[in-house]
Amino acid sequence: MSLMQINNLKKSFGQLEVLKDISLTVEQGDVIAILGPSGSGKSTFLRSLIDLETVDGGDIIIEDNYLCKDGKYQPAKQRRETLKKMGMVFQHFNLFPHMDIEKNLMLAPLCNKQADKAQLKKEALDTLRKVGLEEKLHEMPGNLSGGQKQRVAIARALMRKPDILLFDEPTSALDPELTGEVLNVIKDLSKEKMTMLIVTHEIGFAHEAANKIMFMDGGYVLAFGTPEEVLDRSGNARIEAFLKKVL
């Protein structure tokens, strides 16, 4: 079942074209790792899917609902309803420092009247348990390590009960020792068939956890396929040069 359809997406910043005719179909249960050099358009593409960047052309269709069509956006109320099906985890956690972890997790669901407070308290604890941090329920974000903050950020995204989770370089702000604990949580989600799009520079993780790789460069998709097709035998000189530098 197709959860998302992207058709001919275009985006420019002034004279700089950063997305050039990007098309993609996301099926239920897909784990798509988005790879490529810095400046290739990966984060802009991901942010455009959740309405944090406006595009200049193309379609974004989420579960048969248009977010935009031919670059023209649906009214704000309709977009908000469509985007409820998605969650996003950012590079720098974006936790509210003045709220404890429970309140961070409950804030958006409370604002969206997703459930009553008692139910959301239970869900917050259950979701923290899923990322291995149930004992941190009443800690403040400032008392957590970077890896713990990012796992809380994943739990916060899961509280929305999304059909699709987006990750924008979720480990790039972490040192290598903490990277593994975050990647393990994402791997566990992939085993549960959570549909995910992940911008990452972790090639080994992408090979192991993703079922599809999207390789971008210069605003184009140079390759799309299984990890074996893209990373092991693409035959593309640009991809092979990139992999030699990062592996």
Side-chain angles (χ1 to χ4, degrees), residues 45-65:
F45 171 68
L46 205 68
R47 288 169 63 85
S48 71
L49 302 184
I50 203 160
D51 208 18
L52 293 175
E53 297 283 359
T54 56
V55 297
D56 304 317
D59 308 329
I60 301 173
I61 309 162
I62 302 167
E63 295 185 16
D64 298 326
N65 296 305

Side-chain angles (χ1 to χ4, degrees), residues 86-158:
M86 302 172 72
M88 186 158 182
V89 178
F90 298 90
Q91 181 177 343
H92 291 291
F93 329 130
N94 292 1
L95 302 177
F96 292 105
H98 61 290
M99 295 181 178
D100 70 10
I101 302 309
E102 182 183 57
K103 288 187 174 69
N104 264 280
L105 266 59
M106 291 174 60
L107 182 62
L110 274 174
C111 291
N112 292 330
K113 299 179 180 176
Q114 195 169 298
D116 63 36
K117 199 167 185 178
Q119 176 62 27
L120 289 174
K121 279 179 174 286
K122 180 181 182 302
E123 290 179 12
L125 181 59
D126 290 344
T127 308
L128 271 184
R129 189 173 289 122
K130 187 186 283 272
V131 300
L133 290 174
E134 63 267 33
E135 77 283 359
K136 303 295 185 183
L137 185 67
H138 296 297
E139 286 278 2
M140 300 301 286
N143 296 331
L144 303 184
S145 70
Q148 289 171 333
K149 288 177 185 175
Q150 193 61 293
R151 284 190 281 158
V152 170
I154 295 171
R156 182 179 58 183
L158 290 172

Side-chain angles (χ1 to χ4, degrees), residues 6 11 22 51-52 152 165 187 211 218:
I6 312 301
K11 170 70 177 176
I22 304 293
D51 208 18
L52 293 175
V152 170
L165 258 184
K187 286 177 191 175
N211 69 316

